[in-house]
Amino acid sequence: MAKVTLTVNGKKIEKDVADNTLLVSFIRDNLNLTGTHVGCDTSQCGACVVHVNGKSVKSCAMFAVDANGSEVTTIEGLEKDGKLHPVQESFKKHHGLQCGYCTPGMVMSSIDLLKTHKNPSEEEIRKGLEGNICRCTGYQNIVASVKGAIGKV
């Protein structure tokens, strides 16, 4: 067992966890933050993306102990004062989801993309979301959602 100290969605958390606990399991099982999804267990789908120190990370490919001392933001941590994050709002406005399973990871990856590319082309958006798989939408509305959030992140 190891003691892990993290700041998750602005709240300091201290817990004992097994050394092999994945960050996604820690988030879901220990913190009951179930917006971060587990889609494949092989780091292929991106449903588990969270931000660790401001960068997108597939939380199914990182141990909780490796995040010790970090600041973690999950999909639940994006809403501020009852308002959705601009990327969440754009996904809602542009119908960037269908079943919604991939949406938390898509939103988190989109935020990171828009922080590093202030005015991405459609090709850059598609390239930036390559590690996220959606089996429902065909990606058109996801790309439109990211475009709709340009300049708002």
Side-chain angles (χ1 to χ4, degrees):
M1 296 292 274
K3 184 174 285 301
V4 175
T5 303
L6 304 166
T7 302
V8 179
N9 300 332
K11 182 180 175 188
K12 189 173 180 174
I13 306 288
E14 219 174 273
K15 296 244 185 204
D16 289 325
V17 296
D19 294 340
N20 64 346
T21 301
L22 295 173
L23 182 57
V24 69
S25 300
F26 179 77
I27 290 167
R28 291 180 58 82
D29 301 337
N30 293 75
L31 305 181
N32 296 315
L33 296 172
T34 57
T36 302
H37 294 153
V38 180
C40 66
D41 281 332
T42 60
S43 77
Q44 301 298 309
C45 75
C48 67
V49 173
V50 298
H51 292 167
V52 177
N53 296 326
K55 297 285 184 192
S56 291
V57 171
K58 290 183 178 180
S59 60
C60 76
M62 180 179 203
F63 292 116
V65 295
D66 291 332
N68 190 37
S70 298
E71 194 167 309
V72 177
T73 305
T74 70
I75 192 77
E76 292 92 345
L78 296 180
E79 177 218 347
K80 299 290 183 223
D81 299 321
K83 290 190 167 253
L84 295 176
H85 185 280
V87 173
Q88 290 174 303
E89 198 60 57
S90 192
F91 266 71
K92 180 180 172 186
K93 179 180 179 185
H94 296 280
H95 309 289
L97 64 135
Q98 201 159 340
C99 82
Y101 201 82
C102 71
T103 306
M106 287 284 186
V107 167
M108 299 305 282
S109 293
S110 297
I111 291 168
D112 195 22
L113 171 69
L114 291 172
K115 283 181 181 175
T116 58
H117 294 78
K118 296 299 180 191
N119 190 19
S121 65
E122 182 171 328
E123 183 179 328
E124 289 172 318
I125 293 169
R126 289 180 182 277
K127 179 94 172 132
L129 296 177
E130 274 184 353
N132 297 76
I133 296 173
C134 177
R135 291 186 171 98
C136 301
T137 67
Y139 300 95
Q140 292 304 109
N141 290 351
I142 292 169
V143 172
S145 298
V146 177
K147 283 183 179 180
I150 290 174
K152 298 175 183 171
V153 174

